[in-house]
Amino acid sequence: MADSKNGSQEDPLFSGLFDPTITSIPQGVSQPNPDIVPNAENMGVWKEETRMPIATAEMGVIACNGKVHVIGGYARGQVNSDYHQVFDPATGEWTLKAPIPYACNHLSMAAIGSKIYSFGGFIEQNRCPHSNCFVYDDDTDEWERIPNLLRPRGAISAVELNGQIHLLGGRNVRSVDWHEIYDPETQQYQLLNDMRGSTPTQPFAGQRCHMGAVVVDGKIHCIGGRKDSYDFNTGLHSVFDPESLTWSFRKEMPTIRSGHSVAYVNGKILAFGGEARGLVFEANESYDTKTEKWEIVAPMPVPRHGLHGATAAVIGNTVYVPGGAPITGGSVQGAYHDSFTFG
């Protein structure tokens, strides 16, 4: 597929990406904790990668077999696309693979070995959730249906832990605190208690969608997100222990946001991008699970939200960030693609 990295300003594929009012955000738009957040000693670096053939946002993003898969989402004027774009870091090229059988947005992905699992999503713009689920075999380039979600929803945070897939939060008609586990071996779902935890000062700890989630040292970290709309964003940082089946709370993410992505690399959790009312964030913050401290690292070159893959695509020590929206809402999708490393 042709390299789209050198798209011109006139190319509609890159609409909005060259507007300086979009590709930078005004000083002071972040909503930091009262504590001062220091710059990290190692700020890391961003690198521009080959741009996507089809500009996309609110899609599923996952790493599988050393490649980055971007599936579904908003694209080419539609909010329920079935595109399946794959980036190979070894060649710097994009290819198109078998489309997902059910076109939608805000679908949630997890990978185990050579297989990618897709759960739920919306068929309209951030609404009308469905319960359809599928598995993609990267070796055969084929999709198969798996059992539906027990309850339809989109914007779920999906992570793999010990061979099972945890499905956390999301939105049905409103944000939910549901926590269920899908077992690929038995093809069955197990319902767990909700995500609220036992801390009385966090009454809505679990009712979240559009949040980041990542596994570190056998525990699931759920960071940020929103309750119903981005007018009710949070920096909440909750942790699930699968041994005790309990939730606890850690230091909140400094920039309060939703629609962001998280990744775990070089011993740090990264949280970057996202949106609030009228704002799209370039902020990139790292959390050290040992010191329980947040630090500021190199900001995104192009602020974006709708990167959806609650967990970003990590290959080796590199975080790949394709697509997303450079303005709030769903009117513009981005073909921009860059990567982050700590160097």
Side-chain angles (χ1 to χ4, degrees):
M1 184 156 295
D3 184 337
S4 59
K5 187 171 184 175
N6 298 315
S8 69
Q9 186 168 351
E10 290 75 27
D11 190 337
L13 187 64
F14 307 109
S15 175
L17 287 175
F18 299 90
D19 185 339
T21 65
I22 294 173
T23 57
S24 61
I25 56 176
Q27 184 177 4
V29 299
S30 297
Q31 299 164 292
N33 281 345
D35 297 340
I36 295 175
V37 183
N39 286 343
E41 182 175 345
N42 182 355
M43 295 287 286
V45 293
W46 290 91
K47 173 188 174 184
E48 184 177 355
E49 303 285 350
T50 309
R51 290 188 175 179
M52 300 176 66
I54 302 169
T56 312
E58 308 295 6
M59 63 290 194
V61 178
I62 196 75
C64 181
N65 281 348
K67 297 179 182 179
V68 180
H69 293 249
V70 180
I71 301 170
Y74 302 166
R76 291 183 171 169
Q78 301 295 318
V79 298
N80 55 347
S81 78
D82 63 358
Y83 298 118
H84 182 177
Q85 307 175 71
V86 179
F87 176 72
D88 186 346
T91 63
E93 295 180 349
W94 286 91
T95 55
L96 291 179
K97 296 292 186 178
I100 189 167
Y102 195 84
C104 62
N105 62 81
H106 288 84
L107 58 170
S108 301
M109 316 240 100
I112 301 178
S114 297
K115 295 186 176 180
I116 297 172
Y117 295 83
S118 173
F119 300 91
F122 301 116
I123 58 173
E124 294 186 5
Q125 185 172 339
N126 205 27
R127 64 181 183 178
C128 291
H130 68 85
S131 58
N132 294 285
C133 301
F134 304 91
V135 60
Y136 172 77
D137 190 325
D138 188 50
D139 294 331
T140 63
D141 190 29
E142 294 178 335
W143 290 90
E144 291 184 6
R145 181 178 286 275
I146 59 175
N148 283 2
L149 290 169
L150 300 179
R151 298 168 291 192
R153 63 196 190 279
I156 308 166
S157 296
V159 294
E160 182 273 331
L161 177 61
N162 299 327
Q164 298 181 318
I165 300 170
H166 289 249
L167 304 169
L168 300 148
R171 179 180 174 127
N172 183 280
V173 176
R174 304 186 65 178
S175 298
V176 297
D177 56 10
W178 302 337
H179 182 183
E180 59 193 302
I181 298 175
Y182 176 73
D183 188 330
E185 293 296 324
T186 64
Q187 293 196 330
Q188 293 183 340
Y189 293 92
Q190 174 190 0
L191 292 176
L192 297 186
N193 291 332
D194 61 39
M195 296 172 56
R196 291 176 183 268
S198 58
T199 305
T201 57
Q202 303 287 1
F204 303 114
Q207 293 174 268
R208 282 185 283 165
C209 60
H210 294 79
M211 66 182 172
V214 67
V215 173
V216 180
D217 296 332
K219 297 180 180 180
I220 302 172
H221 292 246
C222 294
I223 301 172
R226 67 178 72 156
K227 184 178 183 293
D228 298 338
S229 78
Y230 48 47
D231 290 314
F232 300 98
N233 280 350
T234 179
L236 194 67
H237 180 179
S238 54
V239 179
F240 177 73
D241 184 337
E243 293 188 3
S244 62
L245 300 179
T246 59
W247 289 89
S248 59
F249 297 91
R250 304 287 178 87
K251 190 171 182 60
E252 293 192 4
M253 176 174 59
T255 300
I256 297 171
R257 49 187 155 168
S258 59
H260 57 299
S261 282
V262 299
Y264 181 64
V265 64
N266 283 28
K268 303 287 181 67
I269 297 175
L270 295 176
F272 51 88
E275 66 179 332
R277 179 164 294 281
L279 304 173
V280 177
F281 295 104
E282 64 185 355
N284 183 16
E285 295 159 342
S286 72
Y287 177 80
D288 189 318
T289 58
K290 293 181 174 57
T291 64
E292 298 194 14
K293 292 182 179 179
W294 286 94
E295 294 180 323
I296 295 171
V297 290
M300 300 180 73
V302 177
R304 280 169 285 160
H305 74 95
L307 307 167
H308 205 275
T311 303
V314 178
I315 299 174
N317 291 320
T318 302
V319 183
Y320 292 90
V321 188
I327 62 175
T328 57
S331 61
V332 174
Q333 295 85 52
Y336 202 85
H337 176 209
D338 46 32
S339 63
F340 175 88
T341 62
F342 277 107

